[in-house]
Amino acid sequence: ELKVEQNPLFLSMQEGKNYTIYCNYSTTSDRLYWYRQDPGKSLESLFVLLSNGAVKQEGRLMASLDTKARLSTLHITAAVHDLSATYFCAVDGSGTYKYIFGTGTRLKVLA
Amino acid sequence: DAGVIQSPRHEVTEMGQEVTLRCKPISGHNSLFWYRQTMMRGLELLIYFNNNVPIDDSGMPEDRFSAKMPNASFSTLKIQPSEPRDSAVYFCASSFSTKETQYFGPGTRLLVL
């Protein structure tokens, strides 16, 4: 059974600081996705990572994928308040359509 | 594009009542997913349609839940009878194909009293 774990679950950080969110998954997967969810809102797609070593960047967020380690990271550079949200990774099992979502990391950036 | 459209956005009902949630996927998408989000269980996939055909409903919690997709532009999720433990946010998502990024609707926040 495919399992996806994120850590930390909660993250409170100061503006201007850097931090990394980790996403581990238990079995082979074709793709890994990162989503953002603001309180009371829907999920917004951030990145899709397709292969080992893939790196995607958008603004202060950079995501990477290591399929051998079954690990993806979401790195936040010089955090700003607007990045406060819950971040989810999702993995689809090899040969399936199903997303298995991680538990989410609730990020709060303090001014 | 308007994105995935869901209605109603909020629903408050009493235990035992029938609830129908509606979803219009993004035009051209042939895969549609229904999810439920709660604090305790996170995001759970309930059912998945491909080309209007239900492919996997193993996530549907029990027989009180049913879903249909009569055409490419409309799907419903019905709960009958509803129970307080059904209270959650229900999301509909669609994608071009099963292996493409899923785009989520705004969700329906359901409260069963």
Side-chain angles (χ1 to χ4, degrees):
Chain A
E1 181 187 351
L2 176 57
K3 294 184 179 179
V4 182
E5 295 182 349
Q6 283 182 243
N7 68 82
L9 298 182
F10 299 97
L11 177 56
S12 180
M13 57 191 297
Q14 296 288 331
E15 276 194 331
K17 298 293 186 181
N18 303 333
Y19 210 83
T20 300
I21 299 171
Y22 297 89
C23 174
N24 290 90
Y25 53 99
S26 59
T27 64
T28 303
S29 173
D30 292 337
R31 301 177 178 216
L32 189 137
Y33 305 84
W34 283 97
Y35 284 84
R36 167 181 172 148
Q37 186 178 33
D38 291 302
K41 303 293 186 181
S42 185
L43 282 80
E44 174 190 356
S45 174
L46 293 175
F47 303 110
V48 54
L49 302 169
L50 303 177
S51 60
N52 188 43
V55 177
K56 294 273 185 80
Q57 183 163 4
E58 178 77 30
R60 301 174 187 274
L61 301 177
M62 183 174 71
S64 65
L65 178 63
D66 181 344
T67 58
K68 294 179 181 178
R70 297 176 183 164
L71 171 69
S72 180
T73 60
L74 181 66
H75 186 72
I76 303 156
T77 301
V80 294
H81 180 71
D82 286 352
L83 289 178
S84 297
T86 299
Y87 293 86
F88 291 93
C89 64
V91 176
D92 61 4
S94 182
T96 79
Y97 55 87
K98 288 186 176 183
Y99 280 21
I100 305 299
F101 279 87
T103 50
T105 295
R106 188 170 177 180
L107 171 65
K108 186 171 184 179
V109 181
L110 305 173
Chain B
D1 196 322
V4 176
I5 298 172
Q6 291 187 247
S7 65
R9 297 291 304 276
H10 302 273
E11 178 81 25
V12 181
T13 190
E14 293 186 345
M15 183 174 63
Q17 297 298 306
E18 177 180 297
V19 175
T20 299
L21 312 181
R22 297 172 177 81
C23 175
K24 176 179 169 58
I26 294 172
S27 178
H29 284 191
N30 64 7
S31 298
L32 184 140
F33 306 81
W34 282 101
Y35 289 88
R36 178 172 68 177
Q37 185 179 37
T38 61
M39 288 295 293
M40 291 297 295
R41 301 176 67 88
L43 272 159
E44 302 173 280
L45 177 64
L46 300 178
I47 188 169
Y48 153 62
F49 292 86
N50 190 44
N51 292 323
N52 312 338
V53 176
I55 303 299
D56 185 345
D57 65 355
S58 60
M60 298 285 259
E62 38 193 285
D63 291 345
R64 298 184 296 106
F65 286 68
S66 63
K68 295 181 179 179
M69 192 167 185
N71 58 62
S73 59
F74 184 66
S75 177
T76 59
L77 178 67
K78 185 177 292 186
I79 309 172
Q80 167 63 19
S82 58
E83 296 183 2
R85 59 192 169 124
D86 301 330
S87 298
V89 181
Y90 291 81
F91 288 104
C92 175
S94 70
S95 64
F96 276 116
S97 72
T98 56
K99 283 300 193 180
E100 299 296 324
T101 299
Q102 295 178 20
Y103 293 89
F104 283 72
T108 295
R109 191 171 297 271
L110 173 65
L111 178 61
V112 183
L113 302 174

